[in-house]
Amino acid sequence: MNPVAQRLGELRERVHAAAQRAGRKADAVRLLGVAKRIADDAIVESVAAGLGDVAENYVQEAVGRRAHFEQAFAEHALDPPEWHFIGRLQSNKAKSVVGAFTWLHTLDRASLGTALEKHCAAQDVRLRVLVQVNTSGEAQKGGVAPDALEPLLAESEAWPHLDVAGLMTLPAPAPDPEDVRPAFAQLRELRDHWQATLPSLRELSMGMSGDFVVAVEEGATLVRLGTALYGARPPA
């Protein structure tokens, strides 16, 4: 077994244990392999090991190597993964995401939603989006403030080609995963509150390599795994 496949198996076991502790079903949690600066072969290995979702941070990097991935998946008779865009996105780059990804995790303003809707309508495609919430109040970080979530969700009614499927957060880094538990709990509470108004709001994208166990215990349905799955990234 190659190292990527072995780590994927170990991560699934940890997710399963965390879900059990929280009284949840493990199959309610999807693992996303974060491809940022990871070698193409490692991504293919993870898909061959059964990973069904791959996430990209940068539009140019993602689009630039997509043809290679498609060829590799075909050569190995692999079903291609679902592609998730998890990086910050400028409205003028929205066209590059539409059609190349089935998920976008970083919707945080009405202007971006309007741009995505425009390009989805032009291509007659749909896009599943998650609203990013800034649970830590960091000025330099993307995401809508928790108390500004309501008007953004109301704006989403004008975007028929966007399926607003849930919420996402990137809490402030902390040495102890327990320190970020309150941010994950807050996101779950926001989802639960607004789901009564917007039933499609089911997903919680939260948790990364260092804190995904806590995120699963708090209700994560999508966790983003980079170094935990692929090992240390090469320098940028």
Side-chain angles (χ1 to χ4, degrees):
M1 182 181 296
N2 67 61
V4 172
Q6 181 175 348
R7 285 193 287 264
L8 180 59
E10 293 168 352
L11 289 167
R12 283 175 169 155
E13 290 177 0
R14 294 178 66 189
V15 166
H16 181 78
Q20 279 193 322
R21 287 193 297 273
R24 305 178 61 206
K25 293 182 178 180
D27 60 8
V29 185
R30 298 171 70 168
L31 308 187
L32 278 59
V34 179
K36 181 174 68 175
R37 299 201 313 273
I38 299 299
D40 292 1
D41 288 349
I43 304 301
V44 175
E45 287 174 2
S46 65
V47 174
L51 186 71
D53 298 86
V54 177
E56 295 271 15
N57 291 74
Y58 305 117
V59 173
Q60 288 182 320
E61 179 181 3
V63 174
R65 58 182 182 170
R66 187 62 59 83
H68 170 77
F69 283 138
E70 291 176 354
Q71 181 179 356
F73 298 146
E75 288 175 353
H76 292 85
L78 299 173
D79 291 330
E82 284 202 59
W83 294 99
H84 300 244
F85 188 78
I86 60 173
R88 295 188 75 171
L89 184 65
Q90 297 175 345
S91 297
N92 61 5
K93 298 287 183 65
K95 185 177 181 180
S96 300
V97 168
V98 171
F101 295 88
T102 53
W103 294 75
L104 180 132
H105 291 227
T106 51
L107 177 64
D108 62 356
R109 59 199 186 279
S111 59
L112 178 57
T114 299
L116 291 167
E117 168 63 28
K118 171 186 173 182
H119 295 298
C120 283
Q123 298 183 35
D124 193 25
V125 297
R126 303 189 66 81
L127 180 67
R128 300 190 78 185
V129 299
L130 306 176
V131 176
Q132 182 176 356
V133 181
N134 188 340
T135 52
S136 54
E138 296 172 274
Q140 77 279 12
K141 185 169 288 183
V144 63
D147 59 3
L149 179 58
E150 180 179 9
L152 185 56
L153 291 176
E155 290 270 9
S156 72
E157 296 180 9
W159 307 325
H161 291 82
L162 304 186
D163 298 321
V164 182
L167 307 178
M168 183 274 266
T169 196
L170 289 168
D176 184 347
E178 286 297 325
D179 292 340
V180 297
R181 188 183 290 274
F184 295 151
Q186 181 185 20
L187 195 75
R188 171 175 43 78
E189 290 163 3
L190 286 168
R191 189 275 314 271
D192 292 350
H193 176 77
W194 291 111
Q195 195 175 22
T197 303
L198 191 64
S200 64
L201 210 67
R202 294 184 294 270
E203 308 291 345
L204 290 174
S205 174
M206 58 189 196
M208 298 187 291
S209 291
D211 55 22
F212 71 90
V213 169
V214 172
V216 171
E217 291 173 349
E218 291 297 334
T221 63
L222 298 156
V223 295
R224 306 175 295 274
L225 302 172
T227 56
L229 177 57
Y230 298 114
R233 289 190 177 92

